[in-house]
Coordinates of all heavy atoms in Angstrom, one line a residue:
A1 N 0.8 -1.2 0.0 CA 0.0 0.0 0.0 C 0.9 1.3 0.0 O 0.6 2.2 -0.8 CB -0.9 0.0 1.2
K2 N 1.9 1.3 0.8 CA 2.8 2.5 0.9 C 3.4 2.8 -0.4 O 3.5 3.9 -0.8 CB 3.8 2.2 2.0 CG 4.8 3.4 2.1 CD 5.9 3.1 3.2 CE 6.9 4.3 3.2 NZ 7.9 4.0 4.2
E3 N 3.9 1.8 -1.1 CA 4.6 1.9 -2.3 C 3.6 2.5 -3.4 O 4.1 3.2 -4.3 CB 5.2 0.6 -2.8 CG 6.1 0.0 -1.9 CD 7.3 0.8 -1.4 OE1 7.8 1.6 -2.3 OE2 7.7 0.8 -0.3
M4 N 2.3 2.4 -3.2 CA 1.3 2.9 -4.2 C 0.7 4.1 -3.6 O -0.3 4.6 -4.2 CB 0.3 1.8 -4.5 CG 0.9 0.5 -5.1 SD 1.8 0.8 -6.6 CE 0.5 1.4 -7.7
G5 N 1.1 4.7 -2.5 CA 0.6 5.9 -1.9 C -0.8 5.7 -1.3 O -1.5 6.6 -1.2
V6 N -1.1 4.5 -0.8 CA -2.3 4.2 -0.2 C -2.1 4.0 1.3 O -1.2 3.3 1.7 CB -2.9 2.9 -0.8 CG1 -4.2 2.5 -0.1 CG2 -3.2 3.0 -2.3
D7 N -2.9 4.7 2.1 CA -2.9 4.5 3.5 C -3.2 3.1 4.0 O -4.1 2.5 3.4 CB -3.8 5.5 4.2 CG -3.3 7.0 4.1 OD1 -2.1 7.2 3.9 OD2 -4.2 7.9 4.3
F8 N -2.5 2.7 5.0 CA -2.8 1.3 5.6 C -3.0 1.4 7.1 O -2.1 2.0 7.8 CB -1.6 0.4 5.3 CG -1.8 -1.0 5.8 CD1 -2.5 -1.9 5.1 CD2 -1.2 -1.4 7.0 CE1 -2.7 -3.2 5.6 CE2 -1.3 -2.7 7.5 CZ -2.1 -3.6 6.8
F9 N -4.1 1.0 7.5 CA -4.4 1.1 8.9 C -4.6 -0.3 9.5 O -5.1 -1.3 8.8 CB -5.8 1.8 9.2 CG -5.7 3.3 8.9 CD1 -5.8 3.8 7.6 CD2 -5.4 4.2 10.0 CE1 -5.7 5.1 7.4 CE2 -5.3 5.5 9.7 CZ -5.4 6.0 8.4
V10 N -4.1 -0.5 10.7 CA -4.2 -1.8 11.5 C -5.4 -1.6 12.5 O -5.5 -0.6 13.1 CB -2.9 -2.1 12.2 CG1 -3.1 -3.3 13.2 CG2 -1.8 -2.3 11.3
A11 N -6.3 -2.5 12.5 CA -7.4 -2.6 13.5 C -6.9 -3.5 14.6 O -6.6 -4.6 14.4 CB -8.7 -3.0 12.9
S12 N -6.9 -2.9 15.9 CA -6.4 -3.7 17.0 C -7.1 -3.3 18.3 O -7.4 -2.1 18.5 CB -4.9 -3.3 17.2 OG -4.4 -3.8 18.3
P13 N -7.5 -4.3 19.1 CA -8.1 -4.0 20.4 C -7.1 -3.1 21.2 O -5.9 -3.4 21.2 CB -8.3 -5.3 21.1 CG -8.2 -6.3 19.9 CD -7.3 -5.8 18.9
F14 N -7.6 -2.1 21.9 CA -6.8 -1.3 22.7 C -5.9 -2.1 23.7 O -4.8 -1.7 24.0 CB -7.7 -0.3 23.5 CG -7.0 0.7 24.4 CD1 -6.3 1.8 23.9 CD2 -6.9 0.5 25.8 CE1 -5.7 2.7 24.7 CE2 -6.3 1.4 26.6 CZ -5.6 2.5 26.0
T15 N -6.5 -3.1 24.2 CA -5.8 -3.9 25.3 C -4.6 -4.7 24.7 O -3.8 -5.2 25.5 CB -6.8 -5.0 25.9 OG1 -7.3 -5.8 24.9 CG2 -7.8 -4.3 26.7
T16 N -4.4 -4.7 23.4 CA -3.2 -5.4 22.8 C -2.1 -4.5 22.6 O -1.0 -4.9 22.2 CB -3.6 -6.1 21.5 OG1 -4.0 -5.2 20.5 CG2 -4.7 -7.2 21.7
L17 N -2.3 -3.2 22.8 CA -1.1 -2.2 22.7 C -0.2 -2.4 23.9 O -0.6 -2.3 25.0 CB -1.6 -0.8 22.7 CG -2.5 -0.4 21.5 CD1 -3.0 1.0 21.6 CD2 -1.9 -0.6 20.2
D18 N 1.0 -2.8 23.6 CA 2.0 -3.1 24.6 C 3.0 -2.0 24.8 O 3.8 -1.7 24.0 CB 2.8 -4.4 24.2 CG 3.6 -5.0 25.3 OD1 4.0 -4.2 26.3 OD2 3.8 -6.2 25.3
V19 N 2.9 -1.3 26.0 CA 3.7 -0.1 26.3 C 5.1 -0.5 26.7 O 6.0 0.3 26.8 CB 3.1 0.8 27.3 CG1 1.8 1.3 26.9 CG2 2.9 0.0 28.7
D20 N 5.4 -1.8 26.9 CA 6.7 -2.3 27.4 C 7.6 -2.6 26.2 O 8.8 -2.8 26.5 CB 6.5 -3.5 28.3 CG 5.8 -3.2 29.6 OD1 6.0 -2.0 30.1 OD2 5.1 -4.0 30.1
L21 N 7.1 -2.6 25.0 CA 8.0 -2.9 23.9 C 8.5 -1.7 23.2 O 7.7 -0.7 23.0 CB 7.2 -3.8 22.8 CG 6.7 -5.1 23.3 CD1 5.9 -5.8 22.1 CD2 7.8 -6.0 23.8
E22 N 9.7 -1.7 22.9 CA 10.3 -0.5 22.2 C 10.0 -0.5 20.7 O 10.0 0.5 20.0 CB 11.9 -0.5 22.4 CG 12.3 -0.2 23.8 CD 11.9 1.2 24.2 OE1 12.0 2.1 23.4 OE2 11.4 1.4 25.4
S23 N 9.7 -1.7 20.2 CA 9.5 -1.9 18.7 C 8.7 -3.1 18.5 O 8.7 -4.1 19.3 CB 10.9 -2.0 18.0 OG 10.8 -2.6 16.8
G24 N 8.0 -3.1 17.4 CA 7.2 -4.3 17.0 C 8.1 -5.5 16.7 O 7.6 -6.6 16.7
D25 N 9.4 -5.2 16.4 CA 10.3 -6.3 16.2 C 10.5 -7.2 17.4 O 10.9 -8.3 17.3 CB 11.7 -5.8 15.8 CG 11.7 -5.1 14.5 OD1 10.9 -5.3 13.7 OD2 12.6 -4.2 14.3
M26 N 10.1 -6.7 18.6 CA 10.2 -7.4 19.8 C 8.9 -8.3 20.1 O 8.9 -9.0 21.1 CB 10.4 -6.5 21.0 CG 11.7 -5.7 20.9 SD 11.8 -4.3 22.1 CE 12.0 -5.3 23.6
I27 N 7.9 -8.2 19.3 CA 6.7 -9.0 19.5 C 7.0 -10.5 19.2 O 7.5 -10.8 18.2 CB 5.5 -8.5 18.6 CG1 5.2 -7.0 19.0 CG2 4.3 -9.4 18.7 CD1 4.2 -6.4 18.0
E28 N 6.6 -11.3 20.2 CA 6.8 -12.7 20.0 C 5.6 -13.3 19.3 O 4.5 -13.1 19.7 CB 6.9 -13.4 21.4 CG 7.2 -14.9 21.3 CD 7.5 -15.5 22.7 OE1 8.0 -14.8 23.6 OE2 7.2 -16.7 22.8
I29 N 5.9 -14.0 18.2 CA 4.8 -14.5 17.3 C 4.5 -15.9 17.9 O 5.3 -16.8 18.0 CB 5.2 -14.7 15.9 CG1 5.7 -13.4 15.3 CG2 4.1 -15.3 15.0 CD1 4.7 -12.3 15.1
E30 N 3.2 -16.1 18.3 CA 2.7 -17.4 18.8 C 2.7 -18.3 17.6 O 2.2 -18.0 16.5 CB 1.3 -17.2 19.3 CG 0.7 -18.5 19.7 CD -0.8 -18.4 20.1 OE1 -1.3 -17.3 20.3 OE2 -1.5 -19.4 20.2
E31 N 3.2 -19.5 17.8 CA 3.1 -20.5 16.7 C 2.0 -21.5 17.1 O 1.9 -22.1 18.2 CB 4.5 -21.2 16.6 CG 5.5 -20.3 16.1 CD 6.8 -21.0 15.8 OE1 6.8 -22.2 15.4 OE2 7.9 -20.4 16.0
R32 N 1.2 -21.8 16.1 CA 0.1 -22.7 16.2 C 0.6 -24.1 15.7 O 1.5 -24.2 15.0 CB -1.1 -22.3 15.4 CG -1.6 -20.9 15.8 CD -2.2 -20.8 17.1 NE -3.3 -21.7 17.2 CZ -3.8 -22.3 18.3 NH1 -3.2 -22.0 19.5 NH2 -4.8 -23.2 18.3
P33 N -0.1 -25.2 16.1 CA 0.3 -26.5 15.7 C 0.2 -26.7 14.2 O -0.7 -26.2 13.5 CB -0.7 -27.5 16.4 CG -1.3 -26.7 17.5 CD -1.2 -25.2 17.1
P34 N 1.3 -27.3 13.5 CA 1.2 -27.5 12.1 C 0.0 -28.2 11.6 O -0.5 -28.0 10.5 CB 2.5 -28.3 11.8 CG 3.4 -28.0 13.0 CD 2.5 -27.8 14.1
G35 N -0.5 -29.1 12.4 CA -1.7 -29.9 12.0 C -2.9 -29.1 11.7 O -3.8 -29.5 10.9
E36 N -3.0 -27.9 12.3 CA -4.2 -27.0 12.0 C -4.2 -26.7 10.5 O -5.2 -26.5 9.9 CB -4.1 -25.7 12.7 CG -4.4 -25.9 14.2 CD -4.4 -24.6 14.9 OE1 -4.0 -23.5 14.4 OE2 -4.8 -24.6 16.1
M37 N -3.0 -26.6 9.9 CA -2.9 -26.3 8.4 C -2.9 -27.6 7.6 O -3.5 -27.7 6.6 CB -1.7 -25.5 8.1 CG -1.7 -24.1 8.7 SD -2.8 -23.0 8.0 CE -2.1 -22.7 6.4
L38 N -2.1 -28.6 8.0 CA -1.8 -29.7 7.2 C -2.9 -30.8 7.2 O -3.1 -31.4 6.2 CB -0.5 -30.4 7.7 CG 0.8 -29.5 7.6 CD1 2.0 -30.1 8.2 CD2 1.1 -29.1 6.2
D39 N -3.5 -31.0 8.3 CA -4.5 -32.1 8.4 C -5.7 -31.9 7.5 O -6.3 -32.9 7.1 CB -5.0 -32.3 9.9 CG -3.9 -32.7 10.8 OD1 -2.8 -33.1 10.3 OD2 -4.1 -32.7 12.0
S40 N -6.1 -30.7 7.2 CA -7.2 -30.5 6.3 C -6.9 -30.0 4.9 O -7.8 -29.7 4.2 CB -8.2 -29.5 7.0 OG -7.5 -28.2 7.1
S41 N -5.6 -30.0 4.6 CA -5.2 -29.4 3.3 C -4.9 -30.4 2.2 O -4.7 -30.0 1.1 CB -4.0 -28.4 3.5 OG -2.9 -29.2 3.8
G42 N -4.8 -31.6 2.6 CA -4.4 -32.6 1.6 C -2.9 -32.6 1.3 O -2.4 -33.1 0.3
A43 N -2.1 -31.9 2.2 CA -0.7 -31.9 2.1 C -0.1 -33.2 2.2 O -0.6 -34.1 2.9 CB -0.1 -30.9 3.2
P44 N 1.1 -33.5 1.6 CA 1.7 -34.8 1.7 C 2.1 -35.1 3.2 O 2.5 -34.2 3.9 CB 3.0 -34.6 0.9 CG 2.8 -33.4 0.0 CD 1.8 -32.5 0.7
K45 N 2.0 -36.3 3.6 CA 2.3 -36.8 4.9 C 3.8 -36.5 5.2 O 4.6 -36.6 4.3 CB 2.1 -38.3 5.1 CG 0.6 -38.7 5.0 CD -0.2 -38.2 6.1 CE -1.6 -38.7 6.0 NZ -2.5 -37.8 6.7
G46 N 4.1 -36.0 6.4 CA 5.4 -35.7 6.8 C 5.9 -34.3 6.4 O 7.0 -33.9 6.7
M47 N 5.1 -33.5 5.7 CA 5.5 -32.2 5.2 C 5.6 -31.3 6.5 O 4.8 -31.4 7.4 CB 4.4 -31.6 4.3 CG 4.7 -30.3 3.8 SD 3.4 -29.8 2.6 CE 3.8 -28.1 2.4
S48 N 6.6 -30.4 6.5 CA 6.7 -29.4 7.6 C 5.9 -28.2 7.3 O 5.6 -27.9 6.1 CB 8.2 -29.1 7.8 OG 8.7 -28.5 6.7
C49 N 5.6 -27.5 8.3 CA 4.8 -26.3 8.1 C 5.0 -25.3 9.3 O 5.1 -25.7 10.5 CB 3.3 -26.7 8.1 SG 2.1 -25.3 8.1
W50 N 5.2 -24.0 9.0 CA 5.2 -23.0 10.0 C 3.8 -22.4 10.0 O 3.3 -21.9 9.0 CB 6.3 -22.0 9.7 CG 6.4 -20.8 10.7 CD1 6.5 -21.0 12.1 CD2 6.4 -19.4 10.4 NE1 6.6 -19.7 12.7 CE2 6.5 -18.8 11.7 CE3 6.3 -18.7 9.3 CZ2 6.5 -17.4 11.8 CZ3 6.3 -17.3 9.4 CH2 6.4 -16.7 10.7
N51 N 3.2 -22.3 11.2 CA 1.8 -21.8 11.3 C 1.7 -20.7 12.4 O 1.3 -21.0 13.5 CB 0.9 -23.0 11.7 CG -0.5 -22.7 11.7 OD1 -1.0 -21.6 11.2 ND2 -1.4 -23.5 12.3
P52 N 2.1 -19.5 12.0 CA 2.0 -18.4 12.9 C 0.6 -18.0 13.2 O -0.3 -18.1 12.3 CB 2.8 -17.3 12.2 CG 2.6 -17.5 10.8 CD 2.6 -19.0 10.7
A53 N 0.3 -17.6 14.4 CA -1.1 -17.2 14.8 C -1.4 -15.8 14.2 O -2.6 -15.5 14.1 CB -1.2 -17.2 16.3
F54 N -0.4 -15.0 14.0 CA -0.6 -13.7 13.4 C 0.7 -13.2 12.8 O 1.8 -13.9 13.0 CB -1.1 -12.7 14.5 CG -0.2 -12.6 15.7 CD1 0.9 -11.7 15.7 CD2 -0.3 -13.4 16.8 CE1 1.7 -11.6 16.7 CE2 0.5 -13.3 17.9 CZ 1.6 -12.4 17.8
D55 N 0.7 -12.1 12.1 CA 2.0 -11.5 11.7 C 2.1 -10.1 12.2 O 1.2 -9.6 12.8 CB 2.1 -11.6 10.1 CG 1.0 -10.7 9.4 OD1 0.1 -10.2 10.1 OD2 1.0 -10.6 8.2
V56 N 3.2 -9.5 12.0 CA 3.5 -8.1 12.4 C 3.9 -7.3 11.2 O 4.9 -7.7 10.5 CB 4.6 -8.1 13.5 CG1 4.9 -6.6 13.8 CG2 4.2 -8.9 14.7
T57 N 3.1 -6.3 10.9 CA 3.4 -5.4 9.7 C 4.5 -4.4 10.2 O 4.2 -3.7 11.3 CB 2.2 -4.7 9.2 OG1 1.2 -5.7 8.9 CG2 2.5 -3.8 8.1
P58 N 5.6 -4.2 9.5 CA 6.5 -3.2 9.9 C 5.9 -1.8 10.0 O 5.1 -1.4 9.2 CB 7.6 -3.2 8.8 CG 7.5 -4.6 8.2 CD 6.0 -4.9 8.3
A59 N 6.3 -1.0 11.1 CA 5.7 0.3 11.3 C 5.8 1.2 10.2 O 4.9 2.1 10.0 CB 6.3 0.9 12.6
D60 N 6.9 1.1 9.4 CA 7.0 2.0 8.2 C 5.9 1.9 7.2 O 5.6 2.8 6.5 CB 8.3 1.6 7.5 CG 9.6 2.1 8.2 OD1 9.4 2.8 9.2 OD2 10.7 1.7 7.9
Y61 N 5.2 0.8 7.2 CA 4.1 0.6 6.3 C 2.7 0.9 6.8 O 1.7 0.8 6.2 CB 4.1 -0.9 5.8 CG 5.3 -1.2 5.0 CD1 6.2 -2.2 5.5 CD2 5.6 -0.6 3.8 CE1 7.3 -2.5 4.8 CE2 6.7 -1.0 3.1 CZ 7.6 -1.9 3.5 OH 8.7 -2.2 2.8
I62 N 2.7 1.3 8.1 CA 1.4 1.5 8.8 C 1.1 3.0 8.9 O 2.0 3.8 9.4 CB 1.4 0.9 10.2 CG1 1.6 -0.6 10.1 CG2 0.1 1.2 10.9 CD1 1.8 -1.3 11.4
T63 N -0.1 3.5 8.5 CA -0.5 4.9 8.6 C -1.0 5.1 10.0 O -0.7 6.2 10.6 CB -1.6 5.2 7.6 OG1 -1.1 4.9 6.3 CG2 -2.0 6.6 7.7
G64 N -1.8 4.2 10.6 CA -2.3 4.4 11.9 C -2.9 3.1 12.4 O -3.0 2.1 11.7
I65 N -3.1 3.1 13.7 CA -3.7 1.9 14.4 C -5.0 2.3 15.0 O -5.1 3.2 15.8 CB -2.7 1.4 15.6 CG1 -1.3 1.1 15.0 CG2 -3.3 0.2 16.3 CD1 -0.3 0.9 16.0
I66 N -6.1 1.6 14.5 CA -7.4 1.9 14.9 C -7.8 1.1 16.1 O -7.6 -0.2 16.0 CB -8.4 1.6 13.7 CG1 -8.1 2.4 12.5 CG2 -9.9 1.9 14.2 CD1 -8.8 2.0 11.3
T67 N -8.2 1.7 17.2 CA -8.7 1.0 18.4 C -10.0 1.5 18.7 O -10.5 2.5 18.2 CB -7.7 1.2 19.6 OG1 -7.9 2.5 20.1 CG2 -6.3 1.0 19.2
E68 N -10.7 0.8 19.7 CA -12.0 1.3 20.1 C -11.9 2.6 20.9 O -12.9 3.3 21.2 CB -12.7 0.2 21.0 CG -12.1 -0.1 22.3 CD -10.9 -1.1 22.2 OE1 -10.4 -1.3 21.1 OE2 -10.6 -1.6 23.3
K69 N -10.7 3.1 21.2 CA -10.5 4.3 22.0 C -10.1 5.5 21.1 O -9.9 6.6 21.5 CB -9.5 4.1 23.1 CG -9.8 3.0 24.0 CD -10.1 3.5 25.4 CE -10.3 2.3 26.3 NZ -10.5 2.7 27.6
G70 N -9.8 5.2 19.8 CA -9.4 6.2 18.9 C -8.3 5.6 17.9 O -8.0 4.5 17.9
V71 N -7.8 6.5 17.1 CA -6.8 6.2 16.1 C -5.4 6.7 16.6 O -5.3 7.9 16.8 CB -7.1 6.7 14.7 CG1 -6.1 6.3 13.7 CG2 -8.5 6.2 14.3
L72 N -4.5 5.8 16.7 CA -3.1 6.2 17.0 C -2.4 6.5 15.7 O -2.3 5.6 14.8 CB -2.4 5.0 17.7 CG -0.9 5.1 18.0 CD1 -0.6 6.4 18.8 CD2 -0.5 3.9 18.8
R73 N -1.9 7.7 15.5 CA -1.1 8.1 14.3 C 0.3 8.4 14.7 O 0.6 8.7 15.9 CB -1.8 9.3 13.7 CG -3.1 9.0 13.1 CD -3.6 10.2 12.3 NE -4.9 9.9 11.6 CZ -5.0 9.5 10.4 NH1 -3.9 9.3 9.7 NH2 -6.2 9.3 9.8
K74 N 1.2 8.4 13.7 CA 2.6 8.7 13.9 C 2.7 10.2 14.3 O 2.0 11.0 13.8 CB 3.4 8.4 12.7 CG 3.5 6.9 12.4 CD 4.3 6.7 11.1 CE 4.2 5.2 10.8 NZ 4.9 4.9 9.6
G75 N 3.7 10.5 15.2 CA 4.0 11.8 15.5 C 4.9 12.5 14.4 O 5.3 11.9 13.4
A76 N 5.4 13.7 14.7 CA 6.2 14.4 13.8 C 7.5 13.7 13.5 O 8.2 13.9 12.5 CB 6.5 15.8 14.3
D77 N 7.9 12.9 14.5 CA 9.2 12.1 14.4 C 9.0 10.8 13.5 O 10.0 10.1 13.3 CB 9.8 11.8 15.7 CG 8.9 10.9 16.6 OD1 7.7 10.6 16.1 OD2 9.3 10.5 17.7
G78 N 7.8 10.6 13.1 CA 7.5 9.4 12.3 C 7.3 8.1 13.1 O 7.3 7.0 12.5
R79 N 7.2 8.2 14.4 CA 7.0 7.1 15.3 C 5.7 7.1 15.9 O 5.1 8.1 16.1 CB 8.1 7.0 16.3 CG 9.5 6.9 15.7 CD 10.6 7.0 16.8 NE 10.4 6.0 17.9 CZ 11.1 4.9 18.0 NH1 12.0 4.6 17.1 NH2 10.8 4.1 19.0
F80 N 5.2 5.9 16.3 CA 4.0 5.8 17.1 C 4.3 6.0 18.6 O 5.2 5.3 19.1 CB 3.3 4.4 16.9 CG 2.7 4.2 15.5 CD1 3.3 3.4 14.6 CD2 1.6 4.9 15.2 CE1 2.8 3.2 13.4 CE2 1.0 4.7 13.9 CZ 1.6 3.9 13.0
D81 N 3.6 6.9 19.3 CA 3.8 7.0 20.7 C 2.7 6.2 21.4 O 1.7 6.7 21.9 CB 3.6 8.5 21.1 CG 3.8 8.8 22.6 OD1 4.2 7.8 23.3 OD2 3.5 9.9 23.0
V82 N 3.0 4.9 21.5 CA 2.1 4.0 22.1 C 1.9 4.3 23.6 O 0.7 4.3 24.0 CB 2.5 2.5 21.9 CG1 1.6 1.5 22.6 CG2 2.6 2.2 20.4
K83 N 3.0 4.6 24.3 CA 2.9 4.9 25.7 C 2.0 6.1 25.9 O 1.1 6.1 26.8 CB 4.2 5.1 26.3 CG 5.1 3.8 26.4 CD 6.4 4.1 27.0 CE 7.2 2.8 27.0 NZ 8.6 3.0 27.5
G84 N 2.2 7.1 25.2 CA 1.4 8.3 25.3 C -0.1 8.1 25.0 O -1.0 8.6 25.7
F85 N -0.4 7.3 23.9 CA -1.7 7.0 23.5 C -2.4 6.2 24.6 O -3.6 6.5 25.0 CB -1.7 6.3 22.2 CG -3.1 6.0 21.6 CD1 -3.8 6.9 20.9 CD2 -3.7 4.7 21.8 CE1 -5.0 6.7 20.4 CE2 -4.9 4.5 21.3 CZ -5.6 5.4 20.6
V86 N -1.8 5.2 25.1 CA -2.4 4.4 26.2 C -2.6 5.2 27.5 O -3.7 5.1 28.1 CB -1.5 3.1 26.5 CG1 -2.0 2.4 27.7 CG2 -1.5 2.2 25.3
A87 N -1.7 6.0 27.8 CA -1.8 6.9 29.0 C -3.0 7.8 28.9 O -3.8 8.0 29.8 CB -0.5 7.7 29.3
K88 N -3.1 8.4 27.7 CA -4.2 9.4 27.4 C -5.6 8.7 27.5 O -6.6 9.3 27.9 CB -4.0 10.0 26.1 CG -5.1 11.0 25.7 CD -4.8 11.6 24.3 CE -5.9 12.5 23.9 NZ -5.7 13.1 22.6
H89 N -5.7 7.5 27.1 CA -7.0 6.8 26.9 C -7.3 5.8 28.0 O -8.3 5.1 27.9 CB -7.1 6.2 25.5 CG -7.1 7.2 24.4 ND1 -8.1 8.0 24.1 CD2 -6.1 7.5 23.6 CE1 -7.8 8.8 23.1 NE2 -6.6 8.5 22.8
S90 N -6.4 5.6 29.0 CA -6.7 4.6 30.0 C -7.5 5.2 31.1 O -7.6 6.4 31.3 CB -5.3 4.1 30.6 OG -4.6 3.4 29.7

């Protein structure tokens, strides 16, 4: 979207904003069992599979984060002030 000049927003519950992380790179991706994908897909027996529960979009590609408490947008420095947003809306 960014490369085409289109805004990209993430919809996220307010409660999932983590004020303790310095960057989205620090988010631990939960891995789901491979069988959730392989058992119903007709995949060959013994095939390996990585099954993440979610992904993380790099902040450079995100215009804003939509929550039930409002929209978090980047500041003048180009960064999301998650701590400030959470403090303001808690």
Side-chain angles (χ1 to χ4, degrees):
K2 178 182 178 182
E3 304 303 324
M4 299 303 293
V6 176
D7 289 339
F8 179 80
F9 289 85
V10 172
S12 173
F14 180 78
T15 56
T16 63
L17 297 177
D18 191 335
V19 298
D20 294 327
L21 298 181
E22 290 296 319
S23 163
D25 295 335
M26 298 171 67
I27 297 172
E28 186 174 332
I29 306 290
E30 174 190 347
E31 293 186 32
R32 304 291 304 152
E36 288 183 352
M37 296 289 289
L38 299 174
D39 293 348
S40 62
S41 69
K45 296 289 182 206
M47 181 177 170
S48 62
C49 173
W50 180 51
N51 186 14
F54 58 89
D55 64 355
V56 177
T57 302
D60 288 347
Y61 295 114
I62 301 171
T63 305
I65 302 170
I66 303 168
T67 76
E68 67 276 18
K69 305 249 183 172
V71 179
L72 172 57
R73 292 185 176 268
K74 294 178 183 175
D77 63 356
R79 298 176 55 101
F80 289 107
D81 179 9
V82 175
K83 289 180 184 179
F85 183 82
V86 169
K88 178 180 177 182
H89 296 286
S90 290

